[in-house]
């Protein structure tokens, strides 16, 4: 069963660690410095077996302002918040900052714990309780239980246990679908075992022996061992506090902030489309391209905020942004993030990742670009899966997207993705251009591509009236853009199927196109045919032909020659030599008769048989090799097959 994770938050020295010790009997501070200084520096972990039979994973976060980075990484995977406020001090700076971080991270439920009850009198406790209730009003903690406790005497701890048990009993234990993901918050070496990483499993499940990629690197490691709450297990699923022993990598290859997931489950990117909330507590507007610290999972990445529809953002406002990161991030849409100012350090906002694989740096200078950005963000944030699919395919254009591409961009995998694609495919809003790779394009893109093909073919025929058609690959590359070959082939097949275009071997033409010669071109065709007939086997070279017909443009002469070759009136023996059908066919027949009689032929024999000089005999022999009538062995040729 998916484990529920309880996480703490609150000001430094408000008793978070002492509260967990009183609740579970487990000491979460493990570092010598933590014990010496009496404050939490690194994340601490515990667990609690509830009366309902469910085991609760617990994450203790540091409260000091210097360790907010660590605090953010700790709350990124929690389901229930234990919001800690000391009775003797009440709401303090990190109380407010931690509260805002939890709100930005999308935490939806929790319980407020007022610690150090034993240090204040009842009137003071009542005042603090009222202050806390007022502070939580209008937030995700409005109406949450507020329980005063003493971690020293144990007073109130049983009520906390019962309250959390009640919340867990009502909790929706749906499995977080998709591939396994774990955001690394700690990495160390264990003698005899190698690299060990810890973190909270975000989604999916994994088992011993499976391969995991260490994103954003390309390194892949095999799972050698798994522990959940210090107990060895064969399998782990979403929500569990997990330690994984990896085989095939060194500790130096991994660091906090990296993500473990199966190969192909994520894609590292420098640009993320996001919904952003700029906190009302900020003293001044946020300017476009402000340099910030972005907290994603357990990673902190320096980047800039690109405001997509304005030049500055007022405090308390929400906007569409694109995060331009200095290092790659590996996330899914729906993941939460927090932004802190670059200097001085302060939490200024955060929100939700909407697009994890931005196709490009988004334009924002012109009003039409800003308006486009205003329109697309609601689709990415609140649109249906179908609307998101159509948008992503529209932005991918002629390249299209595979099912694997869509899975990463949507954070939706396997049967869930297949189900989401059924309707738009059946209603022909998207088309499958290649069933093997499951590549899709939107129907608008496909229709546009077909129109471009028709336009290009029509233009080619207009510019090259003597050409039967255009080579297929030349047609694709001539579109002047990066077009996926599968998308191109699908659109071409549609035109062929509907009889709009015709393909003959490698040439493609419009169905109605025919080579029509003008009067002077027809005269040139007849003159060329007569010219080659008159020369017999001692045929003229292409240069001699061009010189003879010098009154015509050389390109026209070449095109009419090509037409005669396509019509079978001339045979192109080499780049320089052409022969009429009436001359070359009897010559080939005589060569075949000679070879059937003698079994072979060489250059001297060919010269003796035909009376041709080396200038003509060698190109003809090479032509016979090229059209696979003969095969050269040393200085001789033999028949490939009986004529």
């Amino acid at each position: 069963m998916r484990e529920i994770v309880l996480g703490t938050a609150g000001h430094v020295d408000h008793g978070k660690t002492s509260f967990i010790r009183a609740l579970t009997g487990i000491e979460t501070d493990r570092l010598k410095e933590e014990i010496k200084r009496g404050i939490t520096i690194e994340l601490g972990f515990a667990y609690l077996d509830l009366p309902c039979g469910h085991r609760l994973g617990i994450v203790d976060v540091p409260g000091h302002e210097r360790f907010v980075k660590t605090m953010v990484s700790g709350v990124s995977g929690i389901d229930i918040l234990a919001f800690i406020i000391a009775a003797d001090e009440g709401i303090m700076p990190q109380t407010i900052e931690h509260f805002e971080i939890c709100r930005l991270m999308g935490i939806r439920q929790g319980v407020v714990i007022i610690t150090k009850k034993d240090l204040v009198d009842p009137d003071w406790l009542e005042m603090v309780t009222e202050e806390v209730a007022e502070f939580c009003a209008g937030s995700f903690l409005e109406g949450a239980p507020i329980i005063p406790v003493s971690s020293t005497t144990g007073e109130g701890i049983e009520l906390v246990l019962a309250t959390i048990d009640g919340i867990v009993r009502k909790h929706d234990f749906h499995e977080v679908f998709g591939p396994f993901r774990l955001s690394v918050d700690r990495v160390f070496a264990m003698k005899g075992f190698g690299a060990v990483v810890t973190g909270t499993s975000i989604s999916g499940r994994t088992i011993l022996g499976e391969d995991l990629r260490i994103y954003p690197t390309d390194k892949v490691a095999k799972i050698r061992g798994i522990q959940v709450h210090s107990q060895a297990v064969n399998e782990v699923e979403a929500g569990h506090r997990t330690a994984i022993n990896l085989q095939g990598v060194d500790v130096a290859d991994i660091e906090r902030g990296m993500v473990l997931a199966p190969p192909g489950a994520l894609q590292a990117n420098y640009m993320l489309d996001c919904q952003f909330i700029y906190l009302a507590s900020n003293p001044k507007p946020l300017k476009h391209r402000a340099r910030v610290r972005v907290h994603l999972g357990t990673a902190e990445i320096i980047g800039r905020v690109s405001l997509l529809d304005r030049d500055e953002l007022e405090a308390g406002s929400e906007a569409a942004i694109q995060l331009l990161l200095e290092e790659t991030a590996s996330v899914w849409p729906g993941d939460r993030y927090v932004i802190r100012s670059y200097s001085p350090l302060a939490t200024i906002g955060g929100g939700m990742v909407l697009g994890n694989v931005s196709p490009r740096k988004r334009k924002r200078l012109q009003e039409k670009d800003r308006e486009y950005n205003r329109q697309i963000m609601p689709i990415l944030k609140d649109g249906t899966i179908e609307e998101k699919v159509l948008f992503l395919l529209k932005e991918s254009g002629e390249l299209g997207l595979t099912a694997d591409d869509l899975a990463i961009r949507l954070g939706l995998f396997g049967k869930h993705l297949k189900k989401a694609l059924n309707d738009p495919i059946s209603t022909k809003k998207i088309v499958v251009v290649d069933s093997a790779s499951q590549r899709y394009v939107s129907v608008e893109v496909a229709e546009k591509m077909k129109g471009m093909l028709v336009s290009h073919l029509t233009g080619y025929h207009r510019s090259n009236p003597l050409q039967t058609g255009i080579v297929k690959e030349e047609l694709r590359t001539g579109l002047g853009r990066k077009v996926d070959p599968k998308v191109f082939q699908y659109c071409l097949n549609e035109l062929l199927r509907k009889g709009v275009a015709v393909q003959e071997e490698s040439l493609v033409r419009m169905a109605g196109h025919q080579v029509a010669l003008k009067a002077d071109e027809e005269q040139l065709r007849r003159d060329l045919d007569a010219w080659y007939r008159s020369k017999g086997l001692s045929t003229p070279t292409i240069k001699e032909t061009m010189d003879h017909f010098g009154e015509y443009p050389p390109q026209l002469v070449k095109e009419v020659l090509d037409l005669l070759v396509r019509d079978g009136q001339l045979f192109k023996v080499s780049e320089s030599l052409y022969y009429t059908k009436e001359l070359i066919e009897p010559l080939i027949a005589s060569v075949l008769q000679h070879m059937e009689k003698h079994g072979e032929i060489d250059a001297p024999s060919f010269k003796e048989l035909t009376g041709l000089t080396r200038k003509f005999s060698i190109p003809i022999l090479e032509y016979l090799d090229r059209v696979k009538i003969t095969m050269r062995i040393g200085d001789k040729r033999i028949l490939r097959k009986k004529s």
Side-chain angles (χ1 to χ4, degrees):
M1 181 182 292
R2 181 183 182 277
E3 186 171 89
I4 302 301
V5 178
L6 174 80
T8 64
H11 193 78
V12 62
D13 202 30
H14 273 208
K16 295 183 291 297
T17 302
S18 298
F19 164 71
I20 291 177
R21 187 192 310 118
L23 184 65
T24 67
I26 297 173
E27 176 59 64
T28 56
D29 282 348
R30 65 184 188 279
L31 303 179
K32 289 181 180 180
E33 187 179 358
E34 290 178 319
I35 297 169
K36 179 181 178 181
R37 296 175 60 183
I39 62 170
T40 300
I41 298 173
E42 284 288 350
L43 299 176
F45 305 100
Y47 62 89
L48 178 64
D49 290 322
L50 297 171
C52 66
H54 199 83
R55 173 166 283 190
L56 189 73
I58 299 176
V59 180
D60 183 27
V61 305
H64 197 283
E65 63 179 342
R66 288 175 52 194
F67 307 121
V68 170
K69 170 183 173 181
T70 304
M71 180 268 171
V72 174
S73 70
V75 300
S76 63
I78 71 173
D79 302 291
I80 303 171
L81 175 66
F83 194 51
I84 310 296
I85 302 172
D88 60 338
E89 290 190 338
I91 297 170
M92 297 290 284
Q94 260 57 62
T95 306
I96 298 171
E97 185 171 23
H98 281 209
F99 175 81
E100 294 290 11
I101 289 170
C102 291
R103 181 166 71 91
L104 294 169
M105 294 300 288
I107 296 172
R108 292 287 175 264
Q109 60 182 336
V111 56
V112 180
I113 309 297
I114 300 180
T115 58
K116 305 186 181 183
K117 173 184 178 182
D118 52 305
L119 299 183
V120 300
D121 60 42
D123 290 341
W124 182 271
L125 181 61
E126 183 179 353
M127 182 188 69
V128 172
T129 302
E130 290 176 359
E131 180 190 23
V132 170
E134 185 178 339
F135 176 78
C136 294
S139 76
F140 68 97
L141 286 179
E142 182 175 25
I146 301 176
I147 306 173
V149 304
S150 169
S151 300
T152 303
T153 67
E155 186 177 358
I157 296 298
E158 286 299 322
L159 178 57
V160 172
L161 179 62
T163 302
I164 294 174
D165 185 68
I167 293 173
V168 172
R169 286 177 188 270
K170 297 175 184 177
H171 202 282
D172 179 10
F173 287 99
H174 71 280
E175 182 176 356
V176 181
F177 294 105
F180 176 80
R181 285 195 301 160
L182 181 142
S183 195
V184 176
D185 56 40
R186 186 176 171 224
V187 55
F188 56 92
M190 184 175 288
K191 190 174 182 180
F193 291 90
V196 177
V197 300
T198 66
T200 300
S201 306
I202 306 169
S203 65
R205 61 181 66 207
T206 192
I207 61 174
L208 285 175
E210 282 197 339
D211 287 337
L212 294 176
R213 180 176 163 183
I214 303 163
Y215 292 90
T217 76
D218 58 1
K219 295 184 180 297
V220 177
K222 188 177 292 294
I223 298 177
R224 185 178 182 180
I226 305 173
Q227 283 194 356
V228 174
H229 300 307
S230 302
Q231 299 295 316
V233 296
N234 293 323
E235 179 182 44
V236 65
E237 59 185 352
H240 286 269
R241 184 65 206 168
T242 308
I244 297 180
N245 180 204
L246 296 172
Q247 183 179 5
V249 291
D250 297 325
V251 171
D253 297 327
I254 317 168
E255 59 187 43
R256 172 185 277 183
M258 291 182 173
V259 180
L260 300 185
L266 294 167
Q267 183 172 326
N269 206 286
Y270 287 99
M271 295 181 287
L272 304 175
D273 290 332
C274 299
Q275 164 257 0
F276 177 61
I277 298 170
Y278 189 49
L279 295 176
S281 57
N282 289 300
K284 58 184 180 181
L286 180 72
K287 295 193 178 298
H288 170 63
R289 288 191 62 83
R291 198 162 189 239
V292 296
R293 301 173 186 271
V294 183
H295 296 267
L296 283 155
T298 58
E300 179 188 51
I301 304 174
I302 305 300
R304 294 188 183 273
V305 175
S306 176
L307 300 174
L308 296 180
D309 61 357
R310 65 197 80 187
D311 295 320
E312 63 178 28
L313 182 63
E314 295 294 330
S317 300
E318 182 176 340
I321 69 169
Q322 190 172 55
L323 288 176
L324 309 177
L325 305 174
E326 294 181 11
E327 301 173 37
T328 57
S330 302
V331 296
W332 284 347
D335 285 355
R336 293 277 179 164
Y337 69 96
V338 168
I339 286 181
R340 306 192 81 212
S341 53
Y342 185 75
S343 181
L345 292 175
T347 301
I348 63 172
M352 183 189 296
V353 175
L354 303 178
N356 59 339
V357 188
S358 295
R360 61 189 179 274
K361 185 178 177 181
R362 296 203 177 277
K363 298 178 182 178
R364 58 174 300 282
L365 294 180
Q366 298 185 33
E367 182 55 35
K368 65 176 183 178
D369 299 322
R370 297 187 178 201
E371 183 56 34
Y372 176 74
N373 294 332
R374 292 187 192 105
Q375 293 172 1
I376 65 174
M377 289 304 167
I379 296 174
L380 292 175
K381 182 172 180 275
D382 301 314
T384 64
I385 295 296
E386 181 174 304
E387 288 171 336
K388 292 177 182 178
V389 167
L390 293 174
F391 167 75
L392 292 171
L393 288 174
K394 178 182 177 182
E395 285 221 322
S396 69
E398 294 84 1
L399 287 174
L401 293 171
T402 65
D404 290 341
D405 294 331
L406 283 169
I408 294 172
R409 284 164 169 78
L410 294 168
L412 199 65
F413 296 81
K415 61 183 181 182
H416 303 284
L417 176 63
K418 186 176 181 181
K419 182 179 178 181
L421 294 176
N422 280 341
D423 281 348
I425 290 175
S426 62
T427 55
K428 300 190 184 304
K429 294 177 182 176
I430 66 176
V431 293
V432 185
V433 297
D434 181 51
S435 56
S437 65
Q438 292 184 284
R439 182 172 291 276
Y440 307 94
V441 295
S442 70
V443 68
E444 289 85 357
V445 168
E447 290 302 318
K448 181 181 177 182
M449 171 64 69
K450 285 186 274 187
M452 290 168 59
L453 288 172
V454 169
S455 176
H456 195 76
L457 281 171
T458 303
Y460 182 84
H461 292 325
R462 190 183 305 115
S463 302
N464 302 273
L466 301 185
Q467 297 295 324
T468 303
I470 184 172
V471 176
K472 186 174 79 169
E473 185 57 22
E474 186 181 339
L475 173 62
R476 185 179 77 84
T477 57
L479 295 175
R481 61 184 65 208
K482 237 177 152 183
V483 178
D484 183 85
K486 299 293 185 183
V487 177
F488 166 77
Q489 189 61 56
Y490 168 84
C491 294
L492 177 59
N493 287 345
E494 284 289 289
L495 295 179
L496 299 176
R497 184 177 63 83
K498 293 178 180 179
V500 176
V502 175
Q503 181 173 345
E504 296 163 336
E505 296 182 348
S506 64
L507 295 180
V508 180
R509 62 176 173 85
M510 292 296 291
H513 173 70
Q514 289 183 337
V515 175
L517 299 179
K518 298 176 184 177
D520 59 334
E521 294 168 343
E522 178 60 36
Q523 183 61 50
L524 175 60
R525 186 191 68 78
R526 290 195 295 267
D527 290 346
L528 279 168
D529 183 53
W531 163 256
Y532 277 99
R533 288 175 187 273
S534 68
K535 296 299 181 179
L537 290 176
S538 297
T539 191
T541 65
I542 189 70
K543 183 180 184 307
E544 291 168 340
T545 299
M546 290 294 184
D547 291 342
H548 182 77
F549 292 92
E551 72 271 23
Y552 293 98
Q555 181 61 31
L556 177 61
V557 176
K558 183 68 169 62
E559 288 181 353
V560 175
L561 280 174
D562 289 343
L563 178 63
L564 289 168
V565 171
R566 290 198 302 272
D567 290 345
Q569 292 175 259
L570 286 182
F571 281 71
K572 185 178 181 180
V573 171
S574 70
E575 289 300 320
S576 180
L577 301 179
Y578 293 77
Y579 281 94
T580 64
K581 178 180 180 180
E582 289 76 6
L583 291 170
I584 196 69
E585 286 188 341
L587 184 146
I588 292 174
S590 66
V591 171
L592 293 177
Q593 290 173 2
H594 176 91
M595 296 180 74
E596 286 172 353
K597 180 178 180 181
H598 300 283
E600 61 185 28
I601 196 170
D602 56 17
S605 301
F606 183 87
K607 180 179 178 181
E608 182 180 347
L609 177 68
T610 62
L612 292 173
T613 65
R614 185 177 181 83
K615 170 184 174 182
F616 300 103
S617 60
I618 296 302
I620 293 174
L621 285 171
E622 290 175 346
Y623 169 76
L624 294 177
D625 294 338
R626 193 166 63 251
V627 296
K628 300 188 184 304
I629 293 175
T630 60
M631 177 189 300
R632 181 175 178 176
I633 301 177
D635 293 332
K636 302 181 184 299
R637 267 121 177 138
I638 62 171
L639 284 175
R640 281 184 179 266
K641 58 183 180 180
K642 291 290 184 181
S643 174

